[in-house]
Amino acid sequence: MKRNEVNRSELSPMMLQYMEVKDRYQEELLFFRLGDFYELFFEDAEVTSRVLELTLTGKNAGLKERIPMCGIPHHAVKNYIEKLINQGYKVAICEQLEDPKSTKGMVKRDVVEVITKGTLVDLEFLNERDFNYIGSVIDYTYCYLLTYIDISTGEVNACFLNHNQDSLLNEVLNLNLKEIIVKNDFSIELINILKNKYNFHISISDELLEDEYSSVYEEVNDERIVQGIKHILYYLHVTELKDLSHLSHVTLLKRDHYLEMDVHTIRNLELVETLRLKERKYSLIWFLDKTKTAMGARNLKTWLMNPLKDKSEINKRYDYIEALNNHFLEREELRNSFYEIYDIERLCGKVICGSLNARDVLQIKNSLRVLPNVKRILNELDFEFKLETHDELYELLNRAIYEEPPISVKEGYLIKEGYSSELDELKAIRSGGKEFISSIENEEREKTGIPTLKVGFNKVFGYYIEVTKGQIDKIDPSFGWERRQTLSNAERFITPELKEKEALVLNAEERIIDLEYKLFTEIRSILRQHVFALKETAKIVSEIDCLCSLSYASEEYHLIRPMITDEKEIRILDGSHPVVQEVSGNAYIKNDIIMPKDTNILLITGPNMSGKSTYMRQLAITVIMAQMGSFVPASECTLPIFDHIFTRIGASDDLVSGESTFMVEMLEAKNALVGATENSLILFDELGRGTATYDGMSLAQAILEYISEHIKCKTLFSTHYHELTDLDHKYKDIKNVHVEAVEENGNVTFLHKVTDGPVDKSYGIHVARLAGLPNDLLSRAEKILEIYEKEDKKQIKQHAEQMTLNLEEEPKNDELKEKLKEIDPLNMTPIDAINVLYQLKELSKKEN
């Protein structure tokens, strides 16, 4: 039976209430609270029972036919919701808004929360070492505005992106957004790409939230950014019913302040996960992350994904690491303190969202306890961090909350003795009453002479005296007992005195629970007032934790402080790929990478399996580590500041989009050649191998020439086209290097050592032999190779030397074009745009 097939006039009042709520939440799975269960009906029940593997039952709803239903106990609902959210569903929680005990007729119910992937705040559901961003994208036709928020921490960011799909896709993929909200005029093509190719959940909304939470965007002068914030706030506050009081002031990110890396570069270099297994282990973040707090782990990932371009800021981080290395005892004391600090950022999110329980409060208290020691050490190290210790708040929480409170905040046993005189008085009454009732049993036994007499309790009759039927004749009417219940082998009685004490004890118990909940709510309100101060403390702790992590890693892995130079020079001695070296241990061979100012391109030759790709990745990872403020794996390191890293490493067909290996190669090459400046770093690994030999060699040579003549950036280019090694005679900025191998008795040994000059031969058949191909096949391959080697190769070489490809004409002195290059539309106000447009029009008149 479907929901839209139902005759509502026949429904029971409760089911009619359900239908009215469900009408407003048609996209969500509606968890409808009925007593101790959340129940789902119709299509929601069918979907939920299938996904969660629950029994699908039926329910009488006033109709002739039972409607589909499944139920989940309210105390176990979290795990079920998590599974649904991970499967991409939205969940609406409909609660009882009144106490059924004190309500006549139908209990009021309504949705109090909508839970989606991007709006989770419960720490049990979240990856503590990663952010949980939800984003809004507004298309301004000339640029995209991306606004993204982590509800669990209150972090708000906004940035402008160039108006092309690649820029937007790179950013949302790198941020690992969980949801995206767009307007109705957003590109359908791009929505389909985001949904179908990358599995993003897309919501469409044109609404803006006016006035509320204006503190998030106050003093923001760009109306476009204000519109973006209002757009995402409406979705979160009105559609998802979130309290957003903890949101920080928006951070306006300028991508040109950071070393830029597209999603292919981040994937190829295995910065946050490995290519093969998609796991964090053996990635660069795994190697560097020695943080002790969840906030520090998330912040370290931010540093890694956003390496700096400001030389002074980079050196400041180096200075901190060096100081921590020199004071390693203090550093270890800091790290031990951080081990006791919980996720304050996300606990603040729970404070605002109202889901904070007593154990969460205890985690905040225990985190605050170690802050004075952290501040003392920072002062001893003379670090410029102004850390607030929140002494008064700590004392309040220490006086208030039991050390082992229950998870539920409505069960009592939350508040310590001495915090509230009223509560202490009620606890004394409860304690005295229970002791009194216990003493009655002994008194009545002595008075009646019945040794088996006992005092018991149940919810129906309260406290009672129970006497076995064999002892009934010993009960005298003068006792004043009143018979209350007859059992098969006993009788139960009550007395006026017993009922009086019972009322006192039970009333005290109920009042204690109510008062403790009230006091806990007041404590939560006090914490709410300290949220922004606590978040600032969490931010400082996360930064220091990152610095301690990088310092610890520098000592553990023997990393050194690099020198950042304004000259365009790379000098790395005894460099290594840090992750590969850690995994391979003593077997790893270190290599130098030396590129003076007049050398822009290293042309790398050598057999497969010799380590060319590792050598190339080594440079990129060293650059990223250096610009994020980390020490690097080398004995000596001098580097310039890079603005962008482009990579083309590996060759796997893009089966999803239907693009071949060669097309993917060319697209990534295009991105590099169009986007690179003289301050960029390009890594091309065997570019052109996806097509015919002459085609591939021709393109490879043309690309090398184009980089040398036009871009002039630092480039590592590995190839099997040995004919290209003659280019160093024509271009002074191209230098040949090769990976050494030794052949002995038909066997080859790869030395993994990079030395100057081109390789003298290929070792393809030797690699095939190492792979275990059949001997007959290898023998035949050797004979075929001899035939090819006897052929005259002069023609091929001559052809390669003559090929050049001038991909663009020499620029003319064009004033209009020069003016266009100066324009930055992402940072222009409407008035500026009008003025620039007028200037361009005047320039065009001059040229005509």
Side-chain angles (χ1 to χ4, degrees):
M1 180 185 295
K2 305 297 182 185
R3 190 169 63 89
N4 59 6
E5 298 171 353
V6 171
N7 183 351
R8 298 197 179 194
S9 63
E10 298 177 358
L11 289 173
S12 64
M14 187 279 293
M15 188 52 60
L16 188 60
Q17 183 187 50
Y18 166 83
M19 297 289 274
E20 291 171 352
V21 175
K22 180 62 183 175
D23 287 342
R24 293 184 280 120
Y25 295 92
Q26 299 192 36
E27 290 186 4
E28 294 80 9
L29 299 174
L30 181 62
F31 279 49
F32 195 73
R33 182 70 177 267
L34 290 172
D36 290 337
F37 281 81
Y38 288 103
E39 296 187 357
L40 298 96
F41 305 104
F42 299 106
E43 294 91 336
D44 285 3
E46 293 171 353
V47 169
T48 303
S49 63
R50 184 180 68 253
V51 174
L52 300 181
E53 299 179 350
L54 300 174
T55 301
L56 183 67
T57 62
K59 185 178 182 70
N60 292 320
L63 305 173
K64 294 178 182 178
E65 184 182 345
R66 287 164 64 87
I67 65 171
M69 184 204 84
C70 73
I72 296 169
H74 78 94
H75 64 272
V77 74
K78 282 187 176 181
N79 292 332
Y80 291 107
I81 290 176
E82 180 185 18
K83 190 170 182 179
L84 289 168
I85 297 301
N86 288 337
Q87 291 289 323
Y89 295 98
K90 294 183 178 183
V91 172
I93 306 295
C94 181
E95 291 286 4
Q96 297 174 167
L97 303 182
E98 298 174 319
D99 187 348
K101 297 177 183 177
S102 58
T103 303
K104 292 182 179 180
M106 181 69 64
V107 175
K108 288 183 180 178
R109 294 180 177 85
D110 205 350
V111 172
V112 297
E113 182 181 17
V114 177
I115 305 174
T116 62
K117 267 190 177 181
T119 60
L120 290 171
V121 294
D122 200 312
L123 273 62
E124 295 176 26
F125 299 161
L126 296 169
N127 179 352
E128 67 173 10
R129 295 185 172 273
D130 205 353
F131 296 97
N132 198 66
Y133 289 130
I134 180 171
S136 153
V137 181
I138 295 181
D139 186 348
Y140 283 114
T141 69
Y142 56 89
C143 71
Y144 293 112
L145 172 66
L146 174 61
T147 309
Y148 55 99
I149 294 176
D150 187 338
I151 295 290
S152 67
T153 65
E155 177 188 340
V156 185
N157 299 286
C159 63
F160 287 107
L161 303 170
N162 292 324
H163 196 262
N164 65 69
Q165 289 186 4
D166 288 342
S167 294
L168 179 60
L169 290 173
N170 280 330
E171 198 67 21
V172 299
L173 289 168
N174 288 345
L175 290 169
N176 192 23
L177 295 186
K178 301 300 185 290
E179 285 184 77
I180 300 174
I181 307 108
V182 299
K183 289 191 170 185
N184 272 297
D185 60 359
F186 196 74
S187 164
I188 297 297
E189 178 192 355
L190 198 44
I191 288 177
N192 288 331
I193 291 173
L194 289 166
K195 286 180 67 174
N196 301 329
K197 186 173 180 179
Y198 297 107
N199 201 30
F200 282 106
H201 181 86
I202 308 293
S203 297
I204 299 175
S205 169
D206 285 345
E207 302 294 334
L208 305 178
L209 184 68
E210 300 294 344
D211 302 326
E212 290 191 68
Y213 308 117
S214 58
S215 61
V216 176
Y217 51 83
E218 63 184 358
E219 300 179 5
V220 175
N221 298 321
D222 194 323
E223 186 59 28
R224 298 170 299 175
I225 296 173
V226 174
Q227 294 287 306
I229 296 170
K230 289 181 176 180
H231 183 236
I232 193 171
L233 289 182
Y234 181 90
Y235 177 82
L236 293 171
H237 182 66
V238 178
T239 307
E240 303 284 294
L241 304 175
K242 302 297 181 185
D243 186 339
L244 306 173
S245 306
H246 65 305
L247 293 187
S248 304
H249 189 271
V250 62
T251 300
L252 307 179
L253 298 174
K254 295 185 177 180
R255 300 309 314 165
D256 60 353
H257 287 188
Y258 304 97
L259 168 63
E260 294 189 61
M261 303 173 286
D262 62 22
V263 67
H264 305 294
T265 298
I266 290 168
R267 182 191 66 208
N268 289 333
L269 296 178
E270 299 183 308
L271 298 188
V272 294
E273 65 178 18
T274 57
L275 275 168
R276 178 170 295 181
L277 299 179
K278 306 295 181 186
E279 292 180 351
R280 191 175 192 269
K281 189 175 183 180
Y282 302 132
S283 66
L284 183 59
I285 190 69
W286 165 82
F287 174 83
L288 289 173
D289 189 358
K290 312 298 177 185
T291 57
K292 294 293 187 179
T293 68
M295 298 98 67
R298 292 194 296 270
N299 195 40
L300 187 68
K301 182 181 178 183
T302 299
W303 285 11
L304 176 62
M305 299 289 280
N306 299 276
L308 302 170
K309 286 169 60 179
D310 187 320
K311 182 179 176 181
S312 62
E313 287 298 316
I314 295 171
N315 277 309
K316 186 184 292 186
R317 288 183 185 173
Y318 293 164
D319 291 341
Y320 280 129
I321 293 171
E322 206 161 62
L324 289 166
N325 288 351
N326 293 334
H327 298 84
F328 59 90
L329 293 177
E330 288 85 350
R331 181 193 67 203
E332 290 313 298
E333 193 175 353
L334 274 175
R335 297 181 78 233
N336 290 334
S337 295
F338 290 154
Y339 190 75
E340 300 181 49
I341 296 179
Y342 292 85
D343 198 340
I344 299 174
E345 279 184 330
R346 285 183 168 162
L347 288 169
C348 286
K350 294 189 73 174
V351 169
I352 298 301
C353 295
S355 59
L356 193 81
N357 60 39
R359 295 185 184 181
D360 295 328
V361 175
L362 204 60
Q363 289 184 355
I364 293 176
K365 185 203 82 171
N366 291 335
S367 300
L368 300 182
R369 181 173 54 83
V370 301
L371 292 182
N373 190 48
V374 172
K375 185 172 184 178
R376 175 188 61 78
I377 299 170
L378 293 178
N379 289 337
E380 289 177 4
L381 293 171
D382 201 24
F383 280 9
E384 298 175 356
F385 291 99
K386 296 180 180 179
L387 182 69
E388 187 178 346
T389 54
H390 308 277
D391 296 333
E392 292 182 7
L393 182 60
Y394 171 76
E395 291 301 326
L396 171 74
L397 301 182
N398 191 44
R399 284 192 300 110
I401 304 297
Y402 274 127
E403 297 303 324
E404 295 183 2
I407 294 177
S408 172
V409 295
K410 294 185 178 180
E411 294 180 6
Y413 301 98
L414 301 174
I415 308 299
K416 286 181 178 178
E417 285 81 5
Y419 182 76
S420 164
S421 58
E422 182 183 358
L423 180 62
D424 290 347
E425 186 178 338
L426 287 171
K427 287 182 177 179
I429 293 171
R430 179 183 66 184
S431 176
K434 286 186 176 180
E435 290 173 4
F436 172 80
I437 288 168
S438 178
S439 69
I440 287 179
E441 187 172 84
N442 295 326
E443 291 175 8
E444 294 297 339
R445 283 178 180 176
E446 291 178 9
K447 183 169 69 173
T448 62
I450 303 174
T452 58
L453 178 150
K454 64 180 181 180
V455 175
F457 175 84
N458 66 32
K459 291 184 178 180
V460 177
F461 298 109
Y463 286 100
Y464 55 80
I465 297 172
E466 183 176 293
V467 179
T468 61
K469 291 202 171 177
Q471 304 290 324
I472 291 294
D473 58 344
K474 293 184 180 180
I475 299 175
D476 193 285
S478 64
F479 293 167
W481 291 8
E482 180 183 338
R483 191 186 304 272
R484 182 51 61 94
Q485 187 180 18
T486 300
L487 304 177
S488 60
N489 62 344
E491 296 284 345
R492 289 177 175 174
F493 303 86
I494 62 171
T495 70
E497 186 181 22
L498 195 61
K499 297 309 289 182
E500 180 185 345
K501 286 297 182 181
E502 174 193 305
L504 190 65
V505 172
L506 296 182
N507 187 45
E509 188 75 47
E510 190 172 323
R511 287 176 62 194
I512 284 169
I513 291 174
D514 290 343
L515 181 56
E516 287 207 5
Y517 179 69
K518 178 185 174 185
L519 293 170
F520 181 77
T521 303
E522 291 175 358
I523 292 169
R524 198 155 56 189
S525 297
I526 294 170
L527 280 169
R528 193 182 180 101
Q529 297 167 16
H530 287 78
V531 157
F532 288 103
L534 288 170
K535 285 175 63 178
E536 183 61 28
T537 296
K539 180 182 177 184
I540 293 172
V541 167
S542 74
E543 290 187 17
I544 303 166
D545 194 14
C546 285
L547 294 168
C548 287
S549 174
L550 295 177
S551 168
Y552 185 86
S554 72
E555 286 199 346
E556 183 178 2
Y557 303 123
H558 309 291
L559 311 180
I560 59 104
R561 176 172 181 159
M563 179 185 295
I564 304 299
T565 177
D566 294 326
E567 302 294 332
K568 196 178 172 184
E569 176 190 3
I570 296 175
R571 180 178 173 81
I572 301 173
L573 303 184
D574 297 319
S576 65
H577 187 302
V579 180
V580 177
Q581 182 180 7
E582 174 64 13
V583 174
S584 58
N586 295 330
Y588 189 88
I589 304 298
K590 297 183 178 182
N591 277 298
D592 301 341
I593 303 178
I594 299 176
M595 299 179 74
K597 288 185 289 184
D598 56 356
T599 299
N600 289 327
I601 301 172
L602 288 186
L603 187 57
I604 310 166
T605 49
N608 287 321
M609 292 179 56
S610 61
K612 299 191 300 296
S613 297
T614 301
Y615 182 74
M616 299 173 74
R617 288 188 174 98
Q618 165 187 327
L619 173 58
I621 285 177
T622 302
V623 168
I624 291 167
M625 289 176 66
Q627 289 188 220
M628 73 176 282
S630 168
F631 285 13
V632 299
S635 62
E636 180 184 329
C637 180
T638 300
L639 291 169
I641 296 288
F642 289 97
D643 61 9
H644 212 136
I645 296 179
F646 298 94
T647 66
R648 173 56 201 168
I649 301 175
S652 56
D653 289 354
D654 189 347
L655 298 177
V656 175
S657 63
E659 292 171 351
S660 68
T661 298
F662 184 65
M663 176 56 81
V664 173
E665 279 190 347
M666 292 301 100
L667 288 172
E668 293 185 15
K670 184 233 12 178
N671 291 338
L673 298 176
V674 170
T677 71
E678 65 176 349
N679 296 317
S680 300
L681 174 63
I682 294 177
L683 307 179
F684 281 160
D685 188 15
E686 298 184 28
L687 197 65
R689 63 183 170 181
T691 186
T693 302
Y694 289 165
D695 279 351
M697 188 169 64
S698 303
L699 282 164
Q701 178 173 335
I703 288 170
L704 283 167
E705 291 175 352
Y706 185 83
I707 294 172
S708 177
E709 293 174 359
H710 299 284
I711 303 176
K712 303 181 186 302
C713 68
K714 297 295 185 186
T715 303
L716 268 58
F717 195 110
S718 73
T719 185
H720 281 296
Y721 300 132
H722 298 165
E723 294 79 3
L724 298 180
T725 58
D726 289 335
L727 286 173
D728 67 335
H729 301 309
K730 182 178 179 183
Y731 297 95
K732 293 181 179 179
D733 65 340
I734 295 179
K735 178 182 177 182
N736 284 309
V737 295
H738 71 279
V739 187
E740 287 187 336
V742 175
E743 184 181 357
E744 188 176 354
N745 298 326
N747 296 317
V748 65
T749 302
F750 301 120
L751 301 182
H752 303 290
K753 191 68 178 176
V754 178
T755 55
D756 291 346
V759 73
D760 56 355
K761 65 176 294 186
S762 179
Y763 294 92
I765 294 175
H766 298 84
V767 173
R769 179 171 285 109
L770 290 174
L773 268 64
N775 288 330
D776 290 348
L777 182 152
L778 295 171
S779 298
R780 175 59 181 157
E782 287 173 342
K783 291 178 181 177
I784 295 172
L785 179 62
E786 288 177 8
I787 295 171
Y788 281 125
E789 286 179 340
K790 289 178 182 178
E791 292 183 359
D792 184 10
K793 296 180 181 178
K794 292 181 180 179
Q795 205 170 13
I796 298 174
K797 181 178 177 181
Q798 183 181 1
H799 181 63
E801 288 175 346
Q802 291 173 350
M803 283 194 305
T804 59
L805 181 59
N806 190 6
L807 297 184
E808 69 177 20
E809 295 180 358
E810 287 297 320
K812 298 177 181 177
N813 186 14
D814 189 326
E815 191 176 356
L816 181 60
K817 286 185 178 179
E818 292 301 317
K819 184 66 178 176
L820 281 170
K821 289 180 182 178
E822 295 173 4
I823 296 172
D824 182 3
L826 301 186
N827 295 303
M828 292 176 66
T829 64
I831 293 298
D832 292 337
I834 292 171
N835 291 334
V836 169
L837 185 61
Y838 175 78
Q839 293 170 12
L840 293 174
K841 188 174 181 181
E842 292 301 309
L843 283 173
S844 68
K845 288 178 181 178
K846 288 181 184 179
E847 294 193 359
N848 291 335

